[in-house]
Amino acid sequence: MVRTRFAPSPTGYLHIGGARTALFCWAYAKQQGGTFILRVEDTDRERSTDASVQAILDGMQWLGLDYEGPYFQMQRLDRYKAAVDQLLRDGHAYPCYATREEIDALREAQRARGDKPRYDGRWRPENAKRLGLKPPAGMQPVIRFRTPDSGEVTFNDLVKGPITVANAELDDLVIMRADGIPTYNFGVVIDDADMNITHVVRGDDHVNNTPRQINIYRALGANLPLFAHLPMILGADGERLSKRHGAVSVMQYFEDGYLPEALNNYLARLGWSHGDAEKFSLQQMVEWFDLAHVSRSPARFDAEKLGWLNQQYLKEADDRRLAGLVTPFLERDGCTVAAGPDLPRVVALLKERVSTIEELADAAVYFYRRLEPSAALREAHYAAAAKPALRAFRKQLETVEWRREAIAAALKAVLAEHQLKMPKIAMPLRVMVTGEPQSPSIDATLELIGREEVLARMERELRVFPD
């Protein structure tokens, strides 16, 4: 039974890279009929916050990635202590009393000699005895893992292929701090072993940790999972992904009006592909997903591509669903939605013209409150020659059947009577009623705004029309 996990640290929001990792872990477990686990690695007590935990949970829920859990490391401290005691008994770990100042001085001297900075094993029992080191009174030691002196670690990364690291390249890492809190490399091994994780799928910034962790698995006599390290995500310019590239909280995309299915689809294509498929559902991804088609090369985050994809999903989305999503945006913009036209109908008219829910709300504002045309728009589009025709059209709107077809027929009749082309009246009319130079078809726009509101807006603007 395949078991994967996503194990974020609650020291910030759920970002794009983390969301991509969670998505791949989730999709692989689902594709294999297995289980996906969410584990919160909250042992960084200084930086972990409840707000960050909630941001992770909110992001997972919004993306639709269901999971077993969440599990929290700080609730498992007794288990880590028991595992450390086992390693101490078996000679795979030892207490280290070196101070931070001593370690800093050691590394500085190594750098000065051109050596790789690393712990020198001075508190290994045989070395401490030889050096005559005695545990300082009242000092609580850290616990270090005793890395094998010889040999090598080889594992077959499911993305990168075979990787071999000599144990001579690894020093004795700290596995438990003096306060009894496990370090990352130790806690993650105990958790993955206890939770029977079969596939560790994570970012390739963890590749260097993997040989260390494999040595700990072996010392504990635990089963090794398979490892798959995902390529980095870079900005469109090839630089490390940062906030200026779009590396913000996943929930920021919710707040900016993206659809979760669009973000999932886009994240899936960052380092994985299924033929030439660009647009596909989460269910299709589950059916297709495998680790063999994860790229070894870094992926590039392209905000424009995400915007295009979101636009495609908006075009296909249910109008009532979009109405529910756009309502908070309109209300924040001072609109009373209940007092205006049927919002799903407005959404249907506008959704093919926008890329986000936020843009959809911006485009819909004039249906729910009057927008004052700018002086520049009035000067550009209000011509004295059009005023009589606009007056006549307004008069017709008082009695015409309020359907777009009847409105369009009335407009054509006025144009014919006054011998004008459509732009001569449609452009100023659009500015008068919407406050904007662009809108969907003018007859459909007028129909939705409503007779009384259209008449009121036209009358107000005709007063400032040049004679």
Side-chain angles (χ1 to χ4, degrees):
M1 177 68 73
V2 167
R3 290 172 64 83
T4 66
R5 52 55 166 191
F6 175 53
S9 175
T11 55
Y13 46 72
L14 177 60
H15 55 77
I16 287 295
R20 196 270 305 264
T21 298
L23 176 64
F24 282 20
C25 290
W26 178 89
Y28 187 70
K30 292 288 183 181
Q31 204 280 331
Q32 296 290 319
T35 302
F36 170 64
I37 292 168
L38 175 63
R39 187 173 72 227
V40 179
E41 300 192 340
D42 57 347
T43 55
D44 187 341
R45 294 189 292 178
E46 291 184 1
R47 298 171 59 216
S48 295
T49 66
D50 291 340
S52 293
V53 171
Q54 192 59 52
I56 292 167
L57 300 180
D58 289 345
M60 296 291 285
Q61 181 179 20
W62 182 61
L63 291 172
L65 307 182
D66 55 313
Y67 50 82
E68 176 186 304
Y71 300 102
F72 294 86
Q73 286 190 321
M74 287 302 289
Q75 297 174 2
R76 290 172 44 79
L77 295 184
D78 289 345
R79 174 68 183 107
Y80 306 129
K81 175 64 166 58
V84 162
D85 288 344
Q86 176 186 337
L87 292 175
L88 288 169
R89 286 194 308 270
D90 294 343
H92 293 300
Y94 59 91
C96 172
Y97 295 88
T99 65
R100 181 179 296 276
E101 290 75 19
E102 288 176 315
I103 296 298
D104 289 344
L106 169 65
R107 290 174 176 167
E108 189 61 37
Q110 290 168 333
R111 291 190 188 96
R113 296 195 302 268
D115 296 336
K116 178 181 177 180
R118 53 187 291 146
Y119 175 66
D120 60 2
R122 64 182 61 180
W123 278 97
R124 283 189 173 194
E126 68 275 18
N127 292 340
K129 182 178 180 180
R130 176 174 52 82
L131 295 170
L133 300 178
K134 301 294 182 183
M139 180 179 179
Q140 191 68 25
V142 300
I143 305 299
R144 289 186 181 271
F145 178 74
R146 181 169 184 144
T147 299
D149 296 318
S150 59
E152 57 189 23
V153 176
T154 297
F155 64 99
N156 184 41
D157 191 294
L158 297 180
V159 173
K160 296 179 173 297
I163 295 176
T164 297
V165 176
N167 283 320
E169 294 296 315
L170 309 174
D171 59 1
D172 293 352
L173 74 156
V174 174
I175 58 174
M176 185 165 282
R177 303 180 184 94
D179 60 3
I181 304 297
T183 59
Y184 164 74
N185 278 304
F186 185 60
V188 73
V189 169
I190 303 305
D191 291 341
D192 285 344
D194 286 356
M195 296 178 186
N196 299 311
I197 300 302
T198 62
H199 294 72
V200 172
V201 182
R202 57 191 179 189
D204 66 2
D205 52 329
H206 288 288
V207 169
N208 291 336
N209 291 324
T210 304
R212 298 175 177 275
Q213 293 171 11
I214 288 175
N215 278 330
I216 297 174
Y217 275 104
R218 289 173 174 167
L220 291 167
N223 293 327
L224 278 176
L226 298 174
F227 294 92
H229 291 92
L230 308 177
M232 290 183 64
I233 302 176
L234 305 177
D237 57 2
E239 297 296 322
R240 189 179 182 89
L241 194 64
S242 63
K243 287 185 178 180
R244 67 187 176 88
H245 299 108
V248 295
S249 167
V250 164
M251 295 310 291
Q252 184 65 51
Y253 287 95
F254 162 74
E255 293 170 9
D256 290 345
Y258 288 82
L259 297 178
E261 55 266 41
L263 187 57
N264 276 326
N265 190 159
Y266 185 69
L267 291 177
R269 292 289 287 112
L270 288 177
W272 174 81
S273 63
H274 180 78
D276 296 327
E278 288 288 344
K279 183 175 177 292
F280 44 82
S281 68
L282 205 54
Q283 183 55 44
Q284 286 174 311
M285 181 189 179
V286 168
E287 293 173 6
W288 296 339
F289 190 77
D290 62 3
L291 293 169
H293 288 89
V294 174
S295 171
R296 298 184 183 186
S297 303
R300 295 201 180 200
F301 186 86
D302 185 339
E304 289 187 9
K305 183 81 173 284
L306 173 58
W308 173 85
L309 197 56
N310 198 61
Q311 184 178 46
Q312 308 314 304
Y313 278 97
L314 283 172
K315 290 177 181 179
E316 299 174 0
D318 178 78
D319 295 334
R320 292 203 171 274
R321 177 195 174 199
L322 294 182
L325 294 173
V326 82
T327 294
F329 288 89
L330 287 169
E331 291 177 342
R332 284 199 295 268
D333 208 359
C335 298
T336 304
V337 174
D342 183 54
L343 186 50
R345 291 184 64 196
V346 173
V347 164
L349 185 65
L350 298 173
K351 67 180 184 180
E352 295 202 6
R353 305 166 64 90
V354 299
S355 296
T356 67
I357 299 293
E358 186 174 40
E359 289 180 9
L360 181 57
D362 290 342
V365 167
Y366 60 75
F367 286 95
Y368 297 94
R369 65 178 177 86
R370 189 182 72 84
L371 297 181
E372 183 86 20
S374 67
L377 276 178
R378 285 171 172 160
E379 183 179 355
H381 298 292
Y382 288 5
K387 189 171 185 178
L390 287 166
R391 274 284 181 202
F393 181 56
R394 185 191 179 282
K395 184 67 175 175
Q396 290 225 26
L397 292 182
E398 292 177 358
T399 57
V400 73
E401 183 183 1
W402 204 256
R403 294 183 304 109
R404 63 178 298 182
E405 295 82 4
I407 294 170
L411 182 57
K412 288 179 181 177
V414 168
L415 288 170
E417 179 185 350
H418 291 264
Q419 297 183 334
L420 294 173
K421 298 291 186 182
M422 180 65 78
K424 292 294 185 180
I425 189 170
M427 281 304 294
L429 178 59
R430 181 172 281 112
V431 173
M432 294 168 74
V433 175
T434 71
E436 302 283 357
Q438 295 180 336
S439 77
S441 173
I442 191 63
D443 52 0
T445 301
L446 297 181
E447 179 189 32
L448 282 175
I449 291 175
R451 188 195 308 269
E452 296 305 319
E453 186 64 22
V454 167
L455 292 175
R457 293 182 187 183
M458 288 187 70
E459 183 60 33
R460 181 184 179 97
E461 288 303 300
L462 283 166
R463 293 174 190 157
V464 300
F465 238 79
D467 293 313

